[in-house]
Each structure stands twice: as structure tokens, then as C-alpha cells.
Amino acid sequence: AQSVTQPDIHITVSEGASLELRCNYSYGATPYLFWYVQSPGQGLQLLLKYFSGDTLVQGIKGFEAEFKRSQSSFNLRKPSVHWSDAAEYFCEREGSQGNLIFGKGTKLSVKP
Amino acid sequence: DAGVIQSPRHEVTEMGQEVTLRCKPISGHNSLFWYRQTMMRGLELLIYFNNNVPIDDSGMPEDRFSAKMPNASFSTLKIQPSEPRDSAVYFCASRPTNTGELFFGEGSRLTVL
């Protein structure tokens, strides 16, 4: 079955440090991949998406993600985290039928 | 555009009561999704519509849940009768085509006592 795995439930980083959130998807044809962010009490907001082409995609708020087919991964990165980045992050893939599969999410805490 | 609009934002009700959650998608979007979010189960897809037609309702927990989309600008999610285990945040999301990114509303937080 198609699935999305975010292995880290909770990550804490210091402000100014770099960040990498992991996402792995189950094997299949190249999926459409997305990262969303959810601030407390809010809905999910799209950070970036990958459909095809350049495997390094840039998103909003200084985030980027790299699609690696060989590792079935789509990890989210940011070189320097800000306190306002504290939120929950969701990886999502879209299957060939248009069905949507979300990971369980990774909660990011930022230490001052 | 105003974005996806959900109402009510908060609902507190007693077990056994009927609950109706409402969603207005972004104008021009032809796909609409209902999700439920809890700490234990994360984000679960309940049902989605393309062009007002339900495509996949396999995530609807049981017969107590029903969803309708009478036109392109309005959808409801109804729970009758409600139970405490239905307490969650319910999100509506829409997208302009049958593929691509979702645009989420701010959610309806339901508490069933």
C-alpha cells in the first residue's frame, strides 16, 4: 500500500541552527510530493511541492526539499531556523489515482 | 479570495446531539476534502468530492457520519448522533483541479461531552 513515513514525531532545534525533517514514501511511480506546515490553531499551509524536473525545490519561508528517488525520500531543510518556525510539519504524497496520503507529522520546537 | 471558510470554528455539544459542520471552498475549485485530526490518529481523510460527486468515502468512520455537497460552493459534514470519541478538529480543504496542492480552512473544533 502507498504510504508516507515521517520517522521523527518531535524535533527540538536551537534558533539559528539548521533543520532537516525526514520523509519517506512507499515505492511507486514518481509521486507528487508536498510539505505543509500547521501552526497551532490553524489549518495546513503549503510550503513547497515537487511534481517533476529539478529535484531540489524551493518553498516559502526559506524552506527547501530534495527529492531522492533512490532513497524514496523527500526531506525538508532550512539552513537557519527562526523561533516562528515552531509548528507541525506534514509530508504528503499524491498517488496516481489522485488520492492523498499524509504522514503523521513532525512537531518542531525551537529553543531560544 | 477569502480562502476556504469553515463554520462553526468551535462547537461543544452533548453526546447524542446532531452536529453539522459547514464548508465553503474557494471559488472555482472543483475538489473538496473533509479531514479529521486528533492527537492519537493524526490527519485522516474522511471523504472527498470531485465536481460535487463523492469519489471516496472509505474514511467515513460509520453510518453516523454523512457528507453532502449540493453545489460547488457548499458542503456539510453531519454527525448524528454524536459521541465523545468524535471530538476532534475537522478540516475542509479544496483544490482547483483533480490534482495538486490543497488549500485548507482553519478547521472546526468539535467537543462532544
Side-chain angles (χ1 to χ4, degrees):
Chain A
Q2 297 175 344
S3 65
V4 173
T5 302
Q6 294 181 246
D8 304 305
I9 297 173
H10 191 185
I11 284 181
T12 299
V13 300
S14 297
E15 190 167 17
S18 64
L19 171 71
E20 183 169 30
L21 302 182
R22 295 183 290 165
C23 173
N24 293 95
Y25 63 92
S26 58
Y27 176 80
T30 300
Y32 295 166
L33 295 162
F34 307 80
W35 275 99
Y36 291 82
V37 60
Q38 184 181 29
S39 297
Q42 302 291 315
L44 280 69
Q45 179 188 19
L46 181 74
L47 281 176
L48 47 80
K49 59 188 175 185
Y50 173 78
F51 282 6
S52 64
D54 192 346
T55 57
L56 184 64
V57 293
Q58 303 297 320
I60 62 172
K61 306 184 180 185
F63 285 92
E64 65 178 27
E66 186 171 12
F67 171 63
K68 292 185 177 180
R69 181 191 302 276
S70 61
Q71 299 176 18
S72 297
S73 69
F74 188 58
N75 294 348
L76 182 71
R77 301 194 295 248
K78 186 170 185 177
S80 178
V81 170
H82 187 263
W83 64 266
S84 61
D85 293 324
E88 191 158 16
Y89 293 80
F90 292 88
C91 183
E92 184 228 324
R93 71 160 289 171
E94 182 175 318
S96 57
Q97 308 292 328
N99 54 314
L100 303 173
I101 304 161
F102 279 91
K104 295 290 188 185
T106 298
K107 185 174 181 179
L108 173 66
S109 297
V110 180
K111 292 189 299 186
Chain B
D1 202 315
V4 176
I5 300 173
Q6 292 187 244
S7 65
R9 290 294 313 277
H10 301 273
E11 173 98 6
V12 180
T13 190
E14 293 187 344
M15 183 173 63
Q17 296 298 305
E18 178 180 292
V19 173
T20 299
L21 307 178
R22 298 173 178 80
C23 176
K24 177 179 169 53
I26 293 173
S27 177
H29 285 194
N30 70 356
S31 291
L32 183 141
F33 298 74
W34 282 101
Y35 286 89
R36 177 172 68 177
Q37 186 178 37
T38 60
M39 289 288 291
M40 292 295 293
R41 302 172 71 94
L43 202 60
E44 302 174 277
L45 176 64
L46 299 177
I47 185 171
Y48 78 93
F49 297 83
N50 279 349
N51 296 312
N52 312 338
V53 177
I55 301 300
D56 182 359
D57 65 354
S58 60
M60 296 286 264
E62 48 201 91
D63 292 345
R64 297 185 298 107
F65 284 69
S66 62
K68 294 182 180 180
M69 192 164 186
N71 57 62
S73 60
F74 185 65
S75 178
T76 59
L77 177 68
K78 186 175 293 186
I79 308 171
Q80 166 63 15
S82 58
E83 296 181 2
R85 60 189 167 128
D86 302 330
S87 298
V89 181
Y90 291 82
F91 286 102
C92 177
S94 69
R95 63 183 180 186
T97 64
N98 293 343
T99 187
E101 68 188 87
L102 292 176
F103 295 79
F104 281 81
E106 294 191 329
S108 294
R109 180 176 293 277
L110 172 65
T111 302
V112 183
L113 303 175

